[in-house]
Amino acid sequence: IGDEPEAQYAQKFIGLSYLEKGDTQQGLAILEQLVQWFERKNFKWLMMRTLQSMSGAQYSIHQYSKGIDYGRQALALAESLDDKVGIFNTLSLLTEEFRYIANYYESLSCGAHSLALMESSFLNQTQISRHFNIIASVFISCGLPAAAIDCEKEALRHALTIGHRQMISLAYAQLG
């Protein structure tokens, strides 16, 4: 069936499949073993991506501290690799996780850091639109409706550029 790295890489998708079908504990168990293997083999990029998945999974089962810890580990790896997409995706994840637990200072900090990356050409319009939507949610949670409206208008503008119906609908719904 191939060599060990290929087999371990396939394990990542098995773990993600468990997460998708709602068997979070089984998915996390597979991904935790995989992170250890990636760390031993110094596969930093794969480790970072797996930690991102684990962060979201912990968040989904209300293990917020663990989720944030995995997110911070993923961010540190992405920064050490100078992986702009990895940095952006992890900051986006952390922005929402901190917003959900009402740590608005950290949420806005992550959001501001990620907004600085959005001027780069490595992101697609869907990522940008989704992120503006996340930032708008942070502003609403902070009691800043005017800033939220501005962000949601940007989310809509980017969604319209690519004709992403789901993001267009979400932006219109958020704008009222």
Side-chain angles (χ1 to χ4, degrees):
I1 294 184
D3 62 11
E4 186 179 13
E6 288 175 348
Q8 293 298 326
Y9 185 63
Q11 282 294 111
K12 181 176 189 286
F13 293 101
I14 292 169
L16 293 175
S17 294
Y18 277 106
L19 296 179
E20 284 295 314
K21 75 174 201 163
D23 191 347
T24 307
Q25 295 303 330
Q26 181 65 33
L28 281 168
I30 291 169
L31 295 178
E32 286 169 359
Q33 290 177 348
L34 200 53
V35 162
Q36 293 171 6
W37 191 86
F38 287 153
E39 186 171 30
R40 282 193 308 275
K41 297 295 183 178
N42 204 29
F43 290 172
K44 292 180 181 179
W45 186 84
L46 289 170
M47 184 175 163
M48 180 260 307
R49 296 288 294 164
T50 305
L51 286 166
Q52 287 173 335
S53 298
M54 291 170 63
S55 177
Q58 291 289 355
Y59 173 83
S60 76
I61 59 171
H62 311 290
Q63 295 295 315
Y64 305 119
S65 294
K66 286 181 182 179
I68 288 168
D69 184 51
Y70 287 137
R72 285 181 169 154
Q73 289 176 53
L75 180 59
L77 279 170
E79 289 173 338
S80 76
L81 296 168
D82 198 31
D83 178 350
K84 302 292 188 211
V85 173
I87 293 168
F88 179 83
N89 289 340
T90 306
L91 286 169
S92 188
L93 180 74
L94 286 169
T95 299
E96 177 58 18
E97 289 179 358
F98 282 121
R99 183 200 67 82
Y100 191 79
I101 63 168
N103 186 337
Y104 303 130
Y105 177 82
E106 287 295 329
S107 183
L108 288 170
S109 177
C110 290
H113 188 170
S114 61
L115 285 173
L117 296 171
M118 288 173 53
E119 294 180 12
S120 302
S121 62
F122 58 84
L123 297 173
N124 65 47
Q125 294 299 311
T126 301
Q127 288 171 301
I128 292 170
S129 181
R130 279 191 183 121
H131 194 64
F132 272 117
N133 181 263
I134 290 169
I135 299 296
S137 295
V138 174
F139 285 136
I140 285 292
S141 295
C142 291
L144 301 168
I149 289 168
D150 288 342
C151 281
E152 206 59 63
K153 285 179 181 177
E154 277 301 300
L156 177 59
R157 186 176 69 80
H158 289 281
L160 287 169
T161 299
I162 57 170
H164 194 295
R165 291 182 181 148
Q166 182 182 9
M167 293 306 299
I168 292 168
S169 296
L170 179 61
Y172 278 130
Q174 297 292 75
L175 287 168

